[in-house]
Amino acid sequence: MTKTLADLSEKMRDIDFAMLSTHTDGGQIAARPMSNNRQVDYDGTSHYFSMGDTRTVSDLARDPKVGLSFLGKSGLLGMKPFFVAVEGHAELIRDKAAFAEHWTSDLDRWFADGIDTPGLVLIKVRAERVHYWDGEDEGEIRP
């Protein structure tokens, strides 16, 4: 049965971390965990905060093509794994109004000055292709 983006959003709601993969200046793939602070009402766009002086941000400034990998639980009894892989395009945002729109108090532990943290960057990832697999069903969605 083919799933919709709304179906995926429901299953992704409790996933806190994604692995964000970028292309380095040498062409390698670098991956690091990024928290969405369980703010997932997935519509094909994801938002993550970072500091502007990180390798993540320099990778994205050079090449905005990214991958996101999500692992969650599916079903109540068997708790089989649920995987989502996203290919997308990242945008670096340095606007405090956008920061405020996506800020949660959980972020205060990482960014002590909140949206006023010097060098703060919001990474916005727009999905171009979403592939899912839950052990029985798999498919692809193009948002």
Side-chain angles (χ1 to χ4, degrees):
M1 174 176 149
T2 302
K3 295 189 183 336
T4 66
L5 204 50
D7 295 333
L8 291 185
S9 179
E10 185 61 35
K11 288 187 170 220
M12 292 170 72
R13 195 167 313 281
D14 290 328
I15 301 173
D16 189 10
F17 286 93
M19 291 297 288
L20 171 66
S21 298
T22 61
H23 298 274
T24 68
D25 54 357
Q28 296 85 6
I29 296 173
R32 75 281 291 157
M34 301 294 282
S35 176
N36 59 30
N37 298 294
R38 298 189 191 271
Q39 297 295 308
V40 177
D41 191 5
Y42 193 67
D43 63 359
T45 304
S46 301
H47 296 88
Y48 307 99
F49 284 94
S50 183
M51 295 303 298
D53 61 354
T54 62
R55 181 178 183 167
T56 302
V57 171
S58 63
D59 286 352
L60 295 173
R62 187 178 43 265
D63 185 348
K65 290 179 278 188
V66 299
L68 291 171
S69 302
F70 297 88
L71 171 61
K73 303 275 186 209
S74 176
L76 296 174
L77 298 176
M79 298 305 279
K80 59 187 174 186
F82 174 71
F83 300 93
V84 177
V86 174
E87 294 174 28
H89 185 272
E91 176 184 353
L92 299 172
I93 300 171
R94 293 178 173 87
D95 175 64
K96 284 188 184 181
F99 297 170
E101 185 179 339
H102 296 284
W103 196 263
T104 66
S105 61
D106 292 340
L107 291 165
D108 293 338
R109 77 180 254 195
W110 303 108
F111 308 102
D113 293 329
I115 65 170
D116 295 317
T117 300
L120 188 64
V121 175
L122 179 63
I123 301 168
K124 178 180 181 180
V125 177
R126 287 191 185 126
E128 295 171 354
R129 179 176 170 256
V130 179
H131 188 87
Y132 62 87
W133 180 79
D134 71 3
E136 295 173 6
D137 290 331
E138 69 174 301
E140 182 176 299
I141 298 170
R142 294 192 181 256

